[in-house]
Amino acid sequence: MKKVTIIYGSTTGNTERVAELLKSNIAAEVTLADASNADKEMVQSADLILLGASTWGYGEIQDDFQAYYDLMNEDLLKGKDVAVFGCGNSDDFPDVYCEAVNLIKDKAAECGANIIGEGLKVDGEVDDNVSAIESFAKSLV
Ligand SMILES: Cc1cc2nc3c(=O)[nH]c(=O)nc-3n(C[C@H](O)[C@H](O)[C@H](O)COP(=O)(O)O)c2cc1C
């Protein structure tokens, strides 16, 4: 069975909930970790890594994930398959909607990761996006 590691940053719990829904819907052995508890081994041992964060401030990466983002490098990610996800709000922040997802994807690509798909952006309430989250999960493995 494939090994998938999901690393997320979430302030009010929305991206955490998305990460849990992804875990439930991916047919793989899944390790789930908050970015503040993530370690190198869980990335090295995974066939696919999902990196997720919400966007705060004005187009900024959620705080816990920002610290992880700063540590992302070639040594960690070169040649690894990576997909990205995150929560945001397009009504209130149309110009920087889910910008964290874009920033994480760009940094992972710069670090030599193979980016899988466009990623998943969850707009507003998680409950309104469950079927899109399930479809994204199923598209990955
Ligand atoms: C002060 C504040 C700033 C925010 N800034 C952005 C933003 O720049 N872009 C965006 O798409 N969403 C923004 N949001 C919406 C959050 O990303 C959204 O509520 C998200 O679901 C939070 O996810 P979390 O609970 O995983 O942290 C902001 C929300 C607040 C309250």
Side-chain angles (χ1 to χ4, degrees):
M1 194 176 242
K2 271 199 169 186
K3 286 188 172 186
V4 175
T5 290
I6 305 175
I7 298 171
Y8 65 88
S10 180
T11 298
T12 64
N14 291 333
T15 308
E16 179 176 33
R17 176 129 186 270
V18 174
E20 284 163 356
L21 284 166
L22 292 172
K23 180 179 179 182
S24 313
N25 286 281
I26 292 176
E29 185 185 324
V30 181
T31 300
L32 185 64
D34 189 297
S36 46
N37 298 322
D39 63 36
K40 201 171 171 179
E41 198 280 327
M42 63 178 66
V43 171
Q44 284 170 336
S45 62
D47 302 302
L48 170 67
I49 301 131
L50 304 191
L51 300 176
S54 47
T55 303
W56 285 86
Y58 186 77
E60 289 162 25
I61 298 172
Q62 189 272 347
D63 281 353
D64 303 309
F65 203 95
Q66 180 65 55
Y68 191 77
Y69 175 95
D70 293 340
L71 297 173
M72 286 165 59
N73 60 25
E74 275 199 17
D75 182 42
L76 187 69
L77 292 172
K78 193 167 186 182
K80 302 298 289 188
D81 286 350
V82 169
V84 292
F85 67 99
C87 295
N89 185 321
S90 67
D91 284 340
D92 294 343
F93 302 94
D95 297 338
V96 284
Y97 167 59
C98 278
E99 185 64 14
V101 176
N102 304 332
L103 292 167
I104 295 164
K105 182 159 73 172
D106 290 350
K107 174 103 187 245
E110 273 169 34
C111 294
N114 307 315
I115 306 300
I116 308 297
E118 285 301 302
L120 172 72
K121 293 179 177 177
V122 175
D123 197 357
E125 298 297 325
V126 177
D127 281 340
D128 296 337
N129 289 275
V130 172
S131 63
I133 295 165
E134 289 172 354
S135 304
F136 177 71
K138 289 182 176 128
S139 75
L140 292 170
V141 282

